[in-house]
Amino acid sequence: MNNIFHKLHVEGRHLNKLRAADVLQITEKSLQSHESCAEEELIQTFLQKLLMMDYTARYIKTKETDEQDQMPQRDIDSSEEESDVFDDILEIMSPSENGTSQSQRIHPMDVQMAVFHCADGFLKQLLVNKLSQCQYALPLLVPDPFTRQIEFPFWTFRQINKSWKTRNTNNEIISQTQPVYKAETPMVSFFRFGSVSSSKSQLMNSLINEKHNTFFHRNCPGSSRTRVLMDGVVEIAWFYPSGSSDDKFTDCVAFCNLHGDAGDHEKQLQILTEMASVNVVLLPQLDRNDKHVTKIQNLYRNRKPLIFLFTENDSSVHKTKPGKFRIGLKDRNQSEVSEDLRRAINDCLSELSSTFRLEDLSKHSDIRVDEEDDEDCRRGREAAQQMMSLLEKKDLTEIKESFLPHQGKLWHQWSQKNKELHRPQGDEIEMDISRKKTQLNQIREQQHEFDISEFMKCFIEEMSLYDELTIFFLKWLRILLDEHTSADSSALLHKYDEKWSTVLQLKEKHDKSEKLKAEQTELERISGDLQAATFGLEHIMREIGQIYESCSSVKNNKKDLQFDFSSLPSLAAEMMISGFPLELMDGDADHVPVIWISAVLDALIQKLGDQRVFVLSVLGIQSSGKSTMLNAMFGLQFAVSAGRTTRGAFMQLVRVSDEMKTQMNFDYILVVDTEGLRALELAGRSTRHHDNEFATFVIGLANLTLINILGENTAEMQDILQIVVQAFMRMKKVRLNPSCVFVHQSVSDVTAGEKNMEGRRRLLEKLDEMTKLAAEEEVCDAECFSDVIKFDVQNDVKYFAQLWEGNPPMAAPNPNYCKNIQELKKTIMYYASKSHVIMLKDFKIQIKDLWEALLNERFVFSFRNSLEISVYRKLETEYSKWSWRLRSAMMETENKLHNKIENEAIHKVEETDLQRKLKKTSEEVKKSMTEFFEKDTYADILIQWKTSFETKIKELEKSILRETKKKFNEILHQRGPKKKIDQMTHHENTLFEKSKELALKLKDKAKDEETLKKEFDLFWKMSVEKINLDTCTIKDIEIMKNMREILCDKKRKEYYIFFQKHCHGATSTAIFGEIICQKLKEPIEQSVYKKTARDLTDEIRSNCSSLNGNRSNLEKHILKTLAEEEDFHKYMNYIYKPRDHFKSFIRDEVSRYITDEFNVSVLPKMKKNIKLIQQKIMDAAHKSTEHVQVNRGDVGLWLKSFTQHLSDELIFSEKDLSGLKHDDVDDFYLLEDVMREELPAIMSDIISRFNRNTFPVKLDYKFRPDELLIDHFCRCCWVQCPFCKAICTKTIVNHDEDHSVAIHRNIGLNGWFYRGTTNLAITICTSGVASDQFFHPNASDDKFPWRDYRRAGGVYADWSITPDLSELPYWKWFVCRFQKDLEKYYSKTFIGYGKIPEEWRKYSKHEAIESLEKYI
């Protein structure tokens, strides 16, 4: 026993550990089609085929078998003459050769049963469902492979529903649909005693379906003698009649098959013989001493009908006594035997009233029942039964109204009113919108007032702790709800079908009488009852969704809800993760509950992370097999039974295995199953507009849509193609790029290549024809379908075989259909691997965008691609960073070159020099751009702007280079005044030399300070007067004044100190060192201020929330500040002079930052930069000393080297020491030491004078952080909306796209008023363009519809304004807060048509400010 599990590589899993979730994920194996595989892959291959309803899952060969099946050939070298028939052919094969492959081969049913034993409860149930769909027999009594305890896997039958047809006494066909465990049918049991030569299972197949191996038998492909896991297993299958005259049995009949020798399995035999209506036993030739004789004798004496089948007897059917038959099998024709047996069974059944019910088996005390043995399963059932007890004695058509009130009339009213809201009518647009919003809120409040039913309370309580027990509970609830509603639903469906037939007959006769109207009215009533009676898990979840939406709308929890309503989406998210579908569109209300769906997807992201999804949708006529196709492809369980066709749209997650994620670049396939097109027509209502909207929504959501076409009906095909083409044309116009594959189902001969080629040609012609029609309707330039979408008619059209082999209900699925499914699955995966997948959070946004646009009717005009807008904003933020990096790098270069020019180290600057300096940063920016455009999650959206932004960056770089060169040209042009300043420096240095000469003369009187002071003052006075006379020729009076002030005030004290030191005998070298330090003081201060300003600007860009993003972010903070300050004049300055207001705001922000962060940020930067420059000065001094030593130079060489080393750091050159004699300076090490001692004091002095007030004053205007940031932020688009004056949010000047803005305003803020009145307009641009009203541009007599505002030309034509009925609290609050100020400003009033809606007055300032985060 262990060996079989070992060979199948499931040793560690044979205790119910194989999970459904593992099997249902997309793996590499699931995409491969195998007729053979290695033994260790048998289970996986079997499961993959079975999930696709491919009944050849039982016939998989192992590769080892294939190799053995290759005909072995002996290596015989003898000639033909020498060959011997006994040697070659007739020789009795040795045991080693005989049956080698037989003994090693794994029996197909062992594979099936190994999976059964390894599977957990959910996978077992799925496995049995799929076996049932394949028309295979199902395990009924299963011995444990190790303990041999018998189990009845009742749970696995719970979700199987079957339909069949019988005839009543009036020969009328009666349709029935029942869960198989409820069906009361006769049961015929088959078993054998001993070893028999005929196949019992094969004989049973001939009774049930002679074209299909319902029971696996010895002659099936892959069968072997080494069956291990089937002995003692009882399988069951049913014959379902079709109501036709050639049915083998007129009623549904169950057939049970005990595998193995019945004598070895007494318990199974006892149960079967007790419960059977008829027992059929196969026997070899027996004698009276056989060990089984007693059991056979007891069976014969029992009153229950018994049929003996003798394998060693050749007699025909013989009735030995009433209810007892004997049939020989030996050497007889199989068809004859089958017919004899059928007649015998029918004869037995005709005289019996006993029936068999599957659920009665669970009453046997000495067998294990799976759903009783599994505690979670049992508790889940009990919880579901408790809920169902609340529905007892309730009229089915009233259940939803009683127990699920939130999704009833009020939700339908809200949905209708919401559609009306998005299509405003009349003259008072904003008042109409406000009135409808009030009505919507009132409906939500009424909805919120509903009590939560006990039924829903029980459900929510059970769901609150989500685990495996919860999944059992959900599955049980679905089972019990189906059971509860199926009878009434079937009866209503029958009534509906009859009434629909009557209406059709009257229509065909062109009958327009009152009778037709009455019949149609009755049809509507039955349709309503049928809709009311449909009650499943989806309706319970819909109720939770509406509870959530009502609570969310009124911003309040429900009093009878056990926990906060914000937890409800988490329940639905857990269900999706567990594999349950979630309703995306409510098909009854024909509405998408966007608030609920968004919240569920948010909860899903919270649990899984923001996963990458490939969205696959399906579209087609109702009942064309869409759900069946998806179920077969992914092993899903979308509703496919009669009367349970899909309404609206559902989405379900299919997980991708870890191995496949790296190959496919996505984590889940999100499958969207939809209601059929023309579904409303079948309900007697109009359909075209609904279908167009629905197709647009479903196609817009998906990366790939499967267009499902049933049969070869050209008229039906034309209907769907026109709808589909129009939807794809809309996608093209809004720059969405979904793909499609056409699936042509139920094609009679899919193998006929020529026929398929012709079919493809006709389809393409029809698509092109529909494209021309749709192009006229959508006003689009397209001649053929390939102009609309990338489409390959050879690869994107699939032909599917018929689903069934034969006629239901006994037909098995067509293996060719399954192969077609597998091929389509590979095509889907190919598309998925090449597609730009979407993140869950973006999928959420796309749902909202598509639905909002559809609500506005004019989809293309109304579609607002929020994801694209968000990505563009992200791009603008990156562009802001790239541009700042270039500017920042050039500022650094500009500063160094400016120093060099001032130091006369360079005399001209070429643009190529600047380009070379910027090259490194430019290349880094280009690399960053390339990485962003190629590797960002949204690379597929960004690609449309790549070329444009690369060009903009190049233009910006050129602009920076031009502007910088221009600055340098101006600096170089100002060299004249600079020479005059150099002259002043020369005079200063001359004074120093003369004071030095005087000091040397007075050296002996150094101790008499008073005498020295008098002498120096006299000398200074005479020298300054002489300088004044010498400079009288200088025309620049300002320079002369400055010179006098400097000499009299500043330098006098400084030079007196040097004079004293000379008098006291200080060396020339020491004093020269001190002079250099004094001369460096001002350049150091300048350099430190500029460097600190640049560093601070970078920090402010990073840390200041208003300045760390793009221009839109800055505007958001401006609006927040305006609201907080409530200054009307500032608001009007912002509205009419936005650029000036932005500049003022940036200056205020920078000033505030410097003030607030001075001690923690600005001052430390200053100290750091001083320390750095001090280090650079000392490094320059040291290197200069080394240079002089090496080259044996003098002080002149030292000074030249020293100034060159500092030329790009400080404005300091040899000219600053012109006039000073320093020939006697020769101790350069001393010079270094003096500077090292003197510099710290100078640095301390600079720092001591550095404070909040001096920082901005000391800085050159052009180097101030606020001016640098103004220059950065204000180089953008400043075009204002011609209606409301909102500023275009595009970061780049002269951008290629239309102007646009996130929030438009009330146009009255720009002075617009209603023609012929003094009433200020209250229309918001985004409401206006959704309406049917008109406007007069520039107060002219010309009149244009708001919807076609671009026709007004000029500035109007350059703006993109899409309908948006969002709350927009900010500007509504502003109008209410400053109503009187606005009326006074414009000398007009908000009355009449301009009356402010009361709803606007509810917004607080806090809500207005908060809303900015949502909308900008």
Side-chain angles (χ1 to χ4, degrees), residues 69 86 128 181 483 499 505 613 773 891 935 1090 1213:
D69 287 347
F86 282 94
V128 171
Y181 67 88
E483 181 186 320
K499 192 59 66 180
Q505 287 169 8
V613 292
L773 288 173
M891 277 192 287
K935 296 181 181 179
K1090 284 196 284 188
S1213 66

Side-chain angles (χ1 to χ4, degrees), residues 373-387:
D373 204 53
D374 187 313
E375 188 180 356
D376 283 342
C377 184
R378 181 175 50 75
R379 287 172 59 199
R381 183 188 63 204
E382 289 167 358
Q385 285 172 335
Q386 185 183 348
M387 279 188 66

Side-chain angles (χ1 to χ4, degrees), residues 1106-1122:
S1106 60
L1107 301 170
N1108 68 354
N1110 56 18
R1111 215 274 307 273
S1112 295
N1113 175 65
L1114 173 57
E1115 186 169 19
K1116 177 173 68 180
H1117 283 83
I1118 287 172
L1119 291 171
K1120 280 183 180 179
T1121 304
L1122 283 169

Side-chain angles (χ1 to χ4, degrees), residues 375-390 454-455 457-463 469-478 480:
E375 188 180 356
D376 283 342
C377 184
R378 181 175 50 75
R379 287 172 59 199
R381 183 188 63 204
E382 289 167 358
Q385 285 172 335
Q386 185 183 348
M387 279 188 66
M388 294 304 299
S389 67
L390 299 170
E454 283 302 314
F455 183 84
K457 284 180 187 174
C458 287
F459 181 82
I460 293 169
E461 187 177 346
E462 285 299 327
M463 292 287 290
L469 169 60
T470 315
I471 301 173
F472 271 113
F473 161 71
L474 289 169
K475 286 186 176 284
W476 270 113
L477 188 59
R478 187 157 64 184
L480 296 177

Side-chain angles (χ1 to χ4, degrees), residues 347-558:
D347 185 84
C348 295
L349 294 178
S350 65
E351 298 176 8
L352 285 173
S353 59
S354 70
T355 54
F356 161 80
R357 259 194 342 173
L358 201 64
E359 61 185 354
D360 292 340
L361 257 180
S362 62
K363 296 169 185 173
H364 274 267
S365 59
D366 45 359
I367 61 171
R368 178 176 171 266
V369 181
D370 60 349
E371 59 189 41
E372 297 296 336
D373 204 53
D374 187 313
E375 188 180 356
D376 283 342
C377 184
R378 181 175 50 75
R379 287 172 59 199
R381 183 188 63 204
E382 289 167 358
Q385 285 172 335
Q386 185 183 348
M387 279 188 66
M388 294 304 299
S389 67
L390 299 170
L391 304 182
E392 287 176 4
K393 299 177 183 176
K394 298 285 182 184
D395 187 327
L396 190 58
T397 59
E398 296 173 4
I399 282 179
K400 280 200 280 195
E401 192 175 340
S402 302
F403 293 97
L404 312 177
H406 295 79
Q407 63 182 279
K409 290 177 183 176
L410 287 178
W411 162 233
H412 286 233
Q413 285 174 20
W414 191 95
S415 300
Q416 184 57 38
K417 189 66 67 179
N418 192 38
K419 287 179 182 176
E420 292 171 13
L421 167 69
H422 285 78
R423 299 157 192 181
Q425 305 289 321
D427 297 329
E428 299 177 334
I429 301 169
E430 295 301 334
M431 196 62 78
D432 180 53
I433 289 169
S434 179
R435 191 161 42 243
K436 283 172 181 168
K437 283 186 175 180
T438 301
Q439 290 169 353
L440 286 169
N441 288 335
Q442 286 170 349
I443 293 171
R444 284 300 194 196
E445 284 167 6
Q446 290 173 43
Q447 206 182 13
H448 188 260
E449 286 170 9
F450 279 128
D451 291 332
I452 298 176
S453 65
E454 283 302 314
F455 183 84
M456 288 304 300
K457 284 180 187 174
C458 287
F459 181 82
I460 293 169
E461 187 177 346
E462 285 299 327
M463 292 287 290
S464 58
L465 291 173
Y466 201 94
D467 54 15
E468 193 162 301
L469 169 60
T470 315
I471 301 173
F472 271 113
F473 161 71
L474 289 169
K475 286 186 176 284
W476 270 113
L477 188 59
R478 187 157 64 184
I479 291 162
L480 296 177
L481 281 170
D482 282 349
E483 181 186 320
H484 185 77
T485 61
S486 61
D488 287 354
S489 293
S490 294
L492 283 167
L493 196 61
H494 183 65
K495 278 187 189 176
Y496 184 88
D497 288 341
E498 286 183 338
K499 192 59 66 180
W500 174 241
S501 298
T502 305
V503 169
L504 275 182
Q505 287 169 8
L506 289 170
K507 281 185 175 180
E508 285 169 4
K509 293 176 184 176
H510 303 288
D511 190 330
K512 296 183 180 178
S513 65
E514 289 298 316
K515 185 178 181 183
L516 175 61
K517 287 182 182 176
E519 294 290 356
Q520 284 179 321
T521 303
E522 181 63 11
L523 183 67
E524 281 289 316
R525 188 193 66 75
I526 298 170
S527 176
D529 285 348
L530 189 57
Q531 188 174 316
T534 307
F535 186 28
L537 202 52
E538 66 270 27
H539 300 98
I540 296 172
M541 291 312 296
R542 186 189 292 174
E543 182 75 359
I544 288 181
Q546 285 312 303
I547 291 170
Y548 177 83
E549 289 208 337
S550 65
C551 291
S552 181
S553 178
V554 303
K555 298 181 176 61
N556 194 11
N557 209 41
K558 290 181 78 74

Side-chain angles (χ1 to χ4, degrees), residues 1297-1336:
E1297 305 83 10
D1298 286 336
H1299 299 296
S1300 64
V1301 64
I1303 301 181
H1304 282 273
R1305 311 166 187 164
N1306 174 312
I1307 63 173
L1309 306 187
N1310 190 18
W1312 283 70
F1313 60 96
Y1314 294 102
R1315 198 170 184 80
T1317 74
T1318 57
N1319 301 339
L1320 282 167
I1322 59 165
T1323 303
I1324 297 169
C1325 308
T1326 45
S1327 305
V1329 296
S1331 75
D1332 54 4
Q1333 293 303 296
F1334 293 82
F1335 70 95
H1336 297 269

